[in-house]
Amino acid sequence: MGHLVIRGEKDEQAVLCSKDKTYDMKIADTSNMLLFIPGCKTPEQLNADQASCNIIHSQIAGFSNNYWELRRCRPKLKKLRKLLMEDPYEGPDSQNDQTLTISKYTTEDLLSLIQASEEEIMHQLQVIDACKIGGYWRILEFDYEMKLLNHVTQLIDSESWSLSKVPLRTCLEELGSLEPTEMIEHILLSYGRKYIDDGEVYFEMHEDKICRAIAQMLLQNAVKFNLSEFQEVWQQSVPEGMTTRLDQLKGLALLDRTSRPETISLLKVEDLPEDNQERFNSLFSIREKWTEEDITPYIQDLCAEKQTVGVLLTKYARSSMQNGVKVYNSRRPIS
């Protein structure tokens, strides 16, 4: 297993981490007293030494009636985003970055603050598109990120490049006067897949991710949108050649098919609580009854290894039929 680390702050339940996994620690009692004997020999070791069948007098150094039981658990990664969002990066000209009071985190800091293994933390930093600036992990402030993305998509448009073949070098040459080159490269890495062709670096842009980001930009300007109007504006707002689809918005936006007209509103899965029961409480306070299709994107990430959404719903919700459709509501009254 290599070296093990116990992680957690004073107000957190301790977890044990290996290089790539996280375990819950629970104290378990045993009716067999465990004795600690210095230089203790196991029966196997004694059998090897057949000649000496003497009684050995052993000193007992201590005893225990319990031990730590480990259970593989989901890494507690919500806090990672929360810490980095305390001070998102607003670009090189931002005044905020000049002050010394802001909270910034190195890899070492994150390893001591986040209850997850190093591999799980490094993977999550990629998932949330964090980037290292001056040795510290940062998340780009959303408006700044959209500004960078916009520079790139406009350039693609004016150069008539294929979305699957965007050349890094030209992007850096053309946009380098507007923004730091490492930011241009970061936005390409966040919204595209890097590959090399004939010695040149290119990016294949992720259509779904770009459409999703633009939807978020539109949705955060209002509490609710008329769905058909939103879909029209959204399609007009994405780069030429991209197609918007509602399934690009899983875990980002919630549709209300029952209201007239139908509406759509922003609901980001990353803003919901990490604890299972709290997550369900929160979802049932947003909407009393959910179809499995609607709730799945908001609980998918709670599934442990090999666990299904159905298992979670059985445990935390009760089902009933409404107009021939199976819906789920809370098992407990929502305060």
Side-chain angles (χ1 to χ4, degrees):
M1 246 179 137
H3 72 288
L4 301 173
V5 195
I6 292 178
R7 297 202 163 109
E9 294 192 84
K10 283 192 173 65
D11 59 345
E12 296 172 324
Q13 282 260 218
V15 296
L16 182 89
C17 301
S18 65
K19 186 95 182 100
D20 61 349
K21 296 184 179 67
T22 305
Y23 300 88
D24 265 327
M25 301 173 68
K26 260 214 187 84
I27 271 199
D29 293 329
T30 167
S31 52
N32 299 332
M33 188 180 279
L34 306 166
L35 302 175
F36 297 99
I37 301 172
C40 175
K41 283 199 156 100
T42 63
E44 292 77 26
Q45 290 168 320
L46 291 170
N47 285 345
D49 195 5
Q50 287 277 288
S52 59
C53 277
N54 312 335
I55 290 176
I56 305 172
H57 289 276
S58 292
Q59 188 84 38
I60 292 176
F63 68 90
S64 173
N65 282 329
N66 47 40
Y67 59 95
W68 289 103
E69 203 170 67
L70 303 182
R71 252 200 16 251
R72 174 91 189 265
C73 65
R74 282 200 320 273
K76 300 179 173 48
L77 293 164
K78 273 262 175 325
K79 186 173 169 189
L80 181 56
R81 188 186 175 84
K82 201 174 136 208
L83 293 177
L84 298 186
M85 288 306 286
E86 291 170 354
D87 179 55
Y89 183 68
E90 296 175 4
D93 314 326
S94 154
Q95 290 312 300
N96 296 0
D97 256 52
Q98 313 313 322
T99 53
L100 297 170
T101 52
I102 60 174
S103 31
K104 289 187 185 171
Y105 301 95
T106 61
T107 305
E108 288 309 300
D109 296 333
L110 295 175
L111 284 172
S112 70
L113 291 166
I114 305 297
Q115 292 188 290
S117 68
E118 184 166 354
E119 275 184 30
E120 289 166 328
I121 291 173
M122 298 318 281
H123 174 69
Q124 187 66 9
L125 284 166
Q126 267 191 312
V127 170
I128 63 177
D129 293 322
C131 65
K132 232 179 183 169
I133 301 174
Y136 297 101
W137 286 101
R138 307 289 294 274
I139 282 185
L140 304 192
E141 195 265 327
F142 186 67
D143 291 339
Y144 180 56
E145 184 173 319
M146 294 313 287
K147 181 177 162 191
L148 291 167
L149 182 58
N150 196 28
H151 284 319
V152 170
T153 54
Q154 282 187 341
L155 182 64
I156 293 172
D157 196 37
S158 68
E159 302 278 345
S160 307
W161 288 330
S162 150
L163 289 165
S164 60
K165 199 165 185 183
V166 177
L168 173 64
R169 206 167 45 141
T170 319
C171 284
L172 299 183
E173 284 164 5
E174 293 292 321
L175 301 172
S177 59
L178 300 171
E179 293 294 343
T181 50
E182 55 272 27
M183 287 294 106
I184 304 293
E185 186 159 9
H186 174 71
I187 208 75
L188 287 164
L189 282 165
S190 301
Y191 286 93
R193 182 186 65 83
K194 184 179 183 174
Y195 66 95
I196 292 171
D197 182 25
D198 207 6
E200 283 286 325
V201 179
Y202 292 97
F203 286 87
E204 176 185 0
M205 304 311 287
H206 295 311
E207 177 172 6
D208 288 356
K209 192 166 178 180
I210 293 173
C211 290
R212 185 185 174 93
I214 290 168
Q216 180 178 335
M217 182 178 73
L218 297 170
L219 288 168
Q220 62 186 18
N221 294 323
V223 180
K224 260 195 186 122
F225 271 89
N226 172 320
L227 179 60
S228 56
E229 284 172 19
F230 166 77
Q231 283 180 279
E232 204 174 311
V233 174
W234 182 30
Q235 182 58 59
Q236 288 162 0
S237 310
V238 301
E240 195 73 43
M242 290 197 175
T243 310
T244 56
R245 299 189 322 276
L246 286 173
D247 68 349
Q248 291 163 336
L249 306 184
K250 284 188 164 66
L252 173 73
L254 188 57
L255 273 55
D256 187 349
R257 298 280 193 192
T258 58
S259 72
R260 292 287 167 268
E262 297 179 335
T263 60
I264 183 169
S265 54
L266 193 65
L267 178 61
K268 290 148 72 180
V269 65
E270 63 257 30
D271 294 341
L272 298 170
E274 194 161 34
D275 172 77
N276 290 12
Q277 186 62 63
E278 287 175 22
R279 172 80 58 96
F280 276 93
N281 291 353
S282 163
L283 288 169
F284 287 128
S285 64
I286 290 165
R287 177 180 282 188
E288 189 190 348
K289 294 185 170 159
W290 292 76
T291 62
E292 182 170 347
E293 188 190 0
D294 284 345
I295 203 169
T296 296
Y298 294 106
I299 57 174
Q300 191 91 59
D301 61 312
L302 298 179
C303 294
E305 273 188 306
K306 303 191 177 63
Q307 197 183 33
T308 62
V309 165
V311 173
L312 282 174
L313 285 169
T314 307
K315 183 170 179 187
Y316 294 100
R318 59 162 49 109
S319 66
S320 57
M321 297 300 283
Q322 194 175 16
N323 310 331
V325 181
K326 194 174 197 177
V327 291
Y328 293 88
N329 65 325
S330 180
R331 282 196 169 277
R332 41 173 68 182
I334 293 292
S335 49

